[in-house]
Amino acid sequence: MQKTVLMNYAKLLARAGLNVQKGQEVIISAELDQPEFVSLIAEECYRAGAAKVRVEWTHQPLDKISAEYRSEEVLGEVLPWQEEKLREETKTLPARLYLESSDPDGMSGIDEEKYSRARRARLKITKPYRDEMENKYQWCIAAVAGRNWAKKVFPKANAAAAEEKLWEAILKCSRAYEGNPLANWQAHNEELAARCAYLNNLGLVSLEYKSSNGTDLKVGLMERGLFMGGGETTLAGVYFNPNIPSEECFTTPMRGQAEGIVYSTKPLSYQGKLIRNFSIRFEGGRAVEAHAASGEAALKKMIAMDEGAAYLGECALVPYDSPISRSKTLFYNTLFDENASCHLALGRGFTNCVRGYENYSDEQLKAMGVNDSMIHVDFMIGTDDLNITGVTRSGERVPIFREGNWAFKA
Ligand code: ZN
């Protein structure tokens, strides 16, 4: 990919993605196969005023070896110095950039059970620090074209051509291929904000999903619930974009209020297993029945992960005509694939989807209907004939989606 295009993309991530503040620290998580792009983005962060840019390198083949050879106990430990580092970060609040480039199949073959039990053990220790930092710092997940990832997405092309094609797809979906990426993002953000404002003004109490594939689901919404999309603002008032690309207007639904059945429209890759053609039936908000053409055991295990894993944590609206959907490319990566389709998530909800969330404790937010869980797993339910109808407090029925796309003008 041309260096000038990549520099513009790096600028987009540093300025619009992270919105690095003067004197702030930046932590970049990246794979070892991306030294050139990481240098570009580090320089853009410094230009934006970063005091220090630190890179946490990972190398997926090494992660796989560790997963194979380390005992569950060792894999699951958080050492005192690692905990101390987290504690320090809750005070310094560095901006965090997660650059994704790894091979979607890179960890396949490891003992998933062992790996997920170890992750759970680590989460028990790290979750309070993550909760403490939530909504206080800027973060952004974005992608870089990794070689093995590119081969998976474009199996017919040779390695170099596949990489170039993946770069092109990433940049097009991120609105960073042509024109001025920062201006493109601003226009896109304004549209998302206008759609969210419209939805938030309706005073919706529920969403009703209907599609010819059998989906017939009613999901309750929280009284103080908010639709959000595109950029977010930290508690300190810094505007940033947590996902580039992003196409969704999403909210956290009311825990305990989901009735009916929903059919998946894309395979779900969960902990190395592919779950295909599945349906989940909800009763009183809880997933009470699940079937899958393949991967049913993994699906059931996911739902039983903890108490909150059987409840919904997200309803996201994505038009069938979004650029990612139109690209007809399966990226094998949630950042892209979730933006290709309307989706729901099982597990943890977003506390900042509650109006005035900063004035409430986590316990109060839970009591209002925000679900909590160790997992948050998106699954796709969008079709070209999906209709979504909103029901307002006064009982009025408002078309939100018709034939897979927005039913109202922004
Ligand atoms: Zn989402």
Side-chain angles (χ1 to χ4, degrees):
M1 189 48 61
Q2 257 183 306
K3 195 166 176 201
T4 48
V5 178
L6 291 181
M7 278 172 75
N8 280 339
Y9 178 52
K11 192 187 254 177
L12 176 72
L13 301 186
R15 305 272 174 170
L18 293 179
N19 192 2
V20 176
Q21 300 293 293
K22 283 235 157 4
Q24 193 175 22
E25 190 183 336
V26 178
I27 302 177
I28 301 172
S29 305
E31 282 277 313
L32 268 184
D33 65 345
Q34 300 300 330
E36 295 88 4
F37 188 73
V38 169
S39 301
L40 279 183
I41 180 85
E43 189 164 7
E44 285 301 336
C45 290
Y46 281 120
R47 283 203 188 115
K52 182 161 75 175
V53 179
R54 196 148 52 81
V55 184
E56 293 182 348
W57 296 103
T58 51
H59 184 47
Q60 199 183 30
L62 190 58
D63 288 343
K64 186 174 176 181
I65 292 168
S66 308
E68 281 168 344
Y69 284 91
R70 288 185 187 180
S71 68
E72 185 182 324
E73 204 192 349
V74 173
L75 266 181
E77 68 195 0
V78 178
L79 296 170
W81 67 266
Q82 291 168 316
E83 209 178 329
E84 194 49 48
K85 178 173 166 285
L86 269 172
R87 188 175 297 125
E88 181 66 23
E89 284 168 21
T90 63
K91 290 183 205 127
T92 54
L93 299 170
R96 293 209 69 133
L97 178 66
Y98 302 90
L99 288 178
E100 302 201 343
S101 65
S102 58
D103 179 358
D105 295 330
M107 295 295 276
S108 66
I110 63 160
D111 181 346
E112 287 292 342
E113 302 269 327
K114 178 175 105 175
Y115 200 62
S116 82
R117 281 195 306 266
R119 180 166 37 209
R120 258 168 93 162
R122 282 200 309 272
L123 261 172
K124 270 205 187 102
I125 302 164
T126 58
K127 193 170 180 288
Y129 297 104
R130 305 234 167 269
D131 288 349
E132 164 78 25
M133 277 185 266
E134 209 183 335
N135 307 318
K136 291 186 185 161
Y137 68 103
Q138 317 96 280
W139 54 277
C140 177
I141 307 177
V144 228
R147 183 154 285 206
N148 290 331
W149 179 22
K151 267 195 251 167
K152 171 92 182 169
V153 180
F154 301 105
K156 286 184 203 125
N158 70 43
E163 217 175 311
E164 189 65 12
K165 276 166 94 91
L166 183 56
W167 260 127
E168 199 178 309
I170 290 170
L171 294 167
K172 279 186 175 160
C173 293
S174 305
R175 293 171 167 78
Y177 192 63
E178 282 152 334
N180 175 346
L182 281 168
N184 297 346
W185 258 93
Q186 197 183 336
H188 177 51
N189 255 332
E190 280 166 11
E191 185 195 324
L192 287 174
R195 294 206 179 277
C196 290
Y198 174 87
L199 291 167
N200 292 331
N201 279 331
L202 289 172
L204 296 174
V205 292
S206 64
L207 293 175
E208 294 177 8
Y209 294 79
K210 273 208 172 86
S211 172
S212 64
N213 66 1
T215 288
D216 187 354
L217 180 74
K218 183 172 178 164
V219 181
L221 300 176
M222 292 182 288
E223 206 190 315
R224 301 185 68 85
L226 280 178
F227 280 89
M228 307 208 309
E232 289 183 19
T233 306
T234 66
L235 286 171
V238 181
Y239 188 75
F240 68 104
N241 282 279
N243 288 323
I244 292 183
S246 178
E247 299 292 335
E248 53 177 1
C249 289
F250 65 95
T251 191
T252 287
M254 175 78 188
R255 182 186 153 113
Q257 292 185 4
E259 303 293 332
I261 191 158
V262 66
Y263 287 81
S264 71
T265 53
K266 280 193 169 62
L268 166 64
S269 156
Y270 180 68
Q271 297 189 349
K273 299 259 175 349
L274 210 57
I275 307 167
R276 286 181 190 276
N277 296 324
F278 58 98
S279 64
I280 304 175
R281 192 166 65 78
F282 290 89
E283 237 177 65
R286 204 166 160 267
V288 290
E289 202 184 325
H291 298 290
S294 63
E296 188 171 302
L299 177 64
K300 288 185 166 157
K301 217 177 69 199
M302 181 183 99
I303 293 171
M305 182 82 169
D306 58 21
E307 204 266 332
Y311 291 84
L312 293 174
E314 179 184 358
C315 292
L317 308 176
V318 181
Y320 196 76
D321 287 342
S322 80
I324 301 172
S325 169
R326 266 188 278 124
S327 79
K328 298 279 176 240
T329 304
L330 185 58
F331 286 86
Y332 303 94
N333 180 297
T334 322
L335 178 64
F336 290 84
D337 295 332
E338 82 155 7
N339 278 300
S341 168
C342 277
H343 54 272
L344 300 171
L346 282 168
R348 185 188 172 97
F350 307 115
T351 50
N352 58 348
C353 283
V354 172
R355 204 180 306 248
Y357 70 96
E358 62 272 28
N359 303 318
Y360 301 99
S361 68
D362 280 354
E363 286 313 307
Q364 287 172 313
L365 291 164
K366 266 187 229 175
M368 283 180 203
V370 180
N371 187 35
D372 193 25
S373 168
M374 292 207 195
I375 67 160
H376 175 99
V377 182
D378 288 325
F379 61 99
M380 306 305 131
I381 61 162
T383 61
D384 61 358
D385 70 350
L386 176 64
N387 286 344
I388 304 173
T389 302
V391 181
T392 69
R393 225 165 278 142
S394 56
E396 200 193 333
R397 299 175 61 80
V398 185
I400 307 295
F401 261 56
R402 286 294 175 262
E403 301 293 314
N405 288 302
W406 291 113
F408 61 90
K409 287 227 172 338

